[in-house]
Structure formats: C-alpha cells, structure tokens
Amino acid sequence: MARTKAVSGRPGLDEVVAEGIREKILSGTLTTGTHLVEADLGQEFEVSNGTVRSALRHLQNEGLVEFRPRRGMFVAGLSAVDALELCSLRNSLEALAAELAARNLTDEDASRLKKTMEDMRRAVTRRDKRACMEADIAFHRQIVAMSRHKRLIQMYGLLESQIRLFMTLTEPMHSDLFADMIPLHEPIADAVLSGDAAAAAQLSSIHNNPDGKALARHMAAEAPEPEGKALRRAGSRR
C-alpha cells in the first residue's frame, strides 16, 4: 500500500502527488472542467488510486478541484462571483497584513522584503513570466508573515492556491505584465518599509481591484444565462 503519511518531516506521497497536480492546474496544463480520473493519475505518478484520492481531497479543500456527484472530480474554475469574493477577501487580508507589517517592522523584516523586491526586479529585467509570478506570491506571503498574526497567516495559507489560480487567470489580462509588476508592488513595499501603516493598508486594500474586476467581467461574459446576464447588469451599476 502506498505511504500517505509524512515521515521524519518529509511530505507523504499524497502531498507529493497533490503538488504535482496543483502545478498542472496553476500552469494551465489541466484546464477548468478537466475530469481527473484516479486510475490515469495513479499511472502517471506511479502511485495507488487511494493515494490519488487523498491528494485530490487536499486540492478540493484548497478549492482547486470539485466533486460532481456520480461523475467524479474535476478541475474547478472561478465564476464571476468567485472572482469578486476572492478579490475582496484578498484585499481585506492583505490590507491588515500590510498594516501590521508596517507596525511590527524589524531590521530583518526590512532586509527580507528588500530582497523580495530585488528578486522581482531581476525577474522583470529577464522578462521571465514564471519568475514574476513566483515573486508576486512571495511578496504577499512575506508581508503576511511579517504581520505576526497567527490566524491571518493560517487563513492566507488556506487561500494561497486560489490566489495563485487568480494570478494565473488574470496574467493574460495585463497588456504588459513586466511593465505593471514593479509599479503595483513598490508603493506597498515603500509604505511598509517606512512604517506608514495607514498607507500600507490603504494601498493593499485596492491592490487587487483592477485584476478582480477584469476577471469578473471576463467570467460574466463567458457565463451562461441567466448568471452571466445578471452579473453583467450588476457590474454596469457599479
């Protein structure tokens, strides 16, 4: 039987398989609506169906896959409502994190955040899209960690896979991702590093709005009636 529990601090097989499937979803290799067949995945990763089943449960808890009765597991997508909810929740969590990070700033925190920004600049200079995306999530993860708010850190961790999916889906909506990357993040970093908690919170509270609204409009346009029509009407009133 395949081992599925972590031993000596190492991830179990189910966690390794979950990471493999997660990366396929976030890279777009497995697209929304793809049927995830246990036997096929077991053969691909050379593990038992039980290990795949456990891996898919991890991803279901993260919101990346969904169970459809009598049909099985499928790659989940984001609806327009999902996009707006995720955007507003991210804004709230990241605003609180940035405020606390600015208030709790240490020399070590400052050095780490500056290094994260340097990594982002190098990724932009190389025009490395994958590195930019990784630097983006690392930036927000770093500020959340700097908040030293245990429950906020836990909540953000639970959402991280959905946040990464959000970033993957909104990346094509940027006319020039490389031109946008530093101007979107540097003001937040500067506010945190200067200890300006109010500015850090305010900037973070609106940081995701353009992407969230663009994704919601796209999803509403793609949605079948009546959901798409209702959401488009709601959007036009904003």
Side-chain angles (χ1 to χ4, degrees):
M1 180 180 293
R3 175 173 56 85
T4 61
K5 292 184 178 180
V7 178
S8 302
R10 292 179 297 176
L13 280 178
D14 58 340
E15 294 170 321
V16 173
V17 173
E19 177 60 20
I21 300 171
R22 183 184 298 113
E23 287 305 314
K24 285 177 175 289
I25 293 172
L26 296 176
S27 68
T29 303
L30 291 175
T31 57
T32 298
T34 300
H35 187 198
L36 300 170
V37 180
E38 288 180 7
D40 293 344
L41 291 169
Q43 185 175 13
E44 178 180 351
F45 289 97
E46 300 182 342
V47 296
S48 70
N49 286 6
T51 299
V52 172
R53 195 173 306 123
S54 180
L56 292 176
R57 281 197 294 268
H58 285 303
L59 299 176
Q60 185 178 16
N61 291 336
E62 295 174 13
L64 292 182
V65 306
E66 60 186 10
F67 176 73
R68 299 178 185 176
R70 297 182 296 280
R71 297 184 62 192
M73 287 287 196
F74 293 78
V75 176
L78 288 178
S79 68
V81 171
D82 292 332
L84 291 173
E85 287 186 357
L86 184 54
C87 178
S88 63
L89 184 55
R90 276 193 70 190
N91 282 343
S92 297
L93 294 177
E94 290 176 3
L96 176 58
E99 178 182 353
L100 294 174
R103 294 186 189 281
N104 298 329
L105 187 69
T106 66
D107 290 342
E108 184 178 1
D109 288 336
S111 295
R112 289 178 176 174
L113 187 56
K114 288 176 182 176
K115 182 183 182 304
T116 301
M117 286 302 302
E118 289 169 3
D119 291 342
M120 187 180 292
R121 290 189 185 94
R122 282 195 291 269
V124 169
T125 299
R126 297 197 309 269
R127 300 187 70 81
D128 185 331
K129 188 176 294 185
R130 181 177 179 84
C132 281
M133 301 292 282
E134 291 303 318
D136 192 337
I137 192 66
F139 174 86
H140 295 290
R141 189 189 296 129
Q142 177 66 34
I143 290 180
V144 168
M146 288 165 59
S147 74
R148 294 180 176 78
H149 189 303
K150 182 175 69 175
R151 286 172 176 79
L152 171 59
I153 293 168
Q154 290 173 341
M155 181 65 69
Y156 200 82
L158 292 173
L159 284 174
E160 188 168 308
S161 289
Q162 291 184 61
I163 290 170
R164 290 178 64 191
L165 178 60
F166 179 94
M167 290 178 176
T168 299
L169 293 173
T170 56
E171 179 273 320
M173 298 177 185
H174 289 259
S175 58
D176 188 341
L177 175 69
F178 304 111
D180 293 343
M181 186 64 60
I182 301 303
L184 281 172
H185 296 88
E186 192 168 48
I188 298 173
D190 288 346
V192 171
L193 292 170
S194 67
D196 190 338
Q202 194 276 334
L203 289 167
S204 295
S205 72
I206 60 174
H207 174 73
N208 302 294
N209 284 350
D211 281 354
K213 291 176 180 177
L215 183 58
R217 285 194 298 269
H218 175 75
M219 294 302 180
E222 295 292 319
E225 299 289 354
E227 180 187 12
K229 185 176 181 180
L231 285 164
R232 286 192 290 275
R233 284 201 305 268
S236 67
R237 291 195 293 269
R238 289 191 178 92

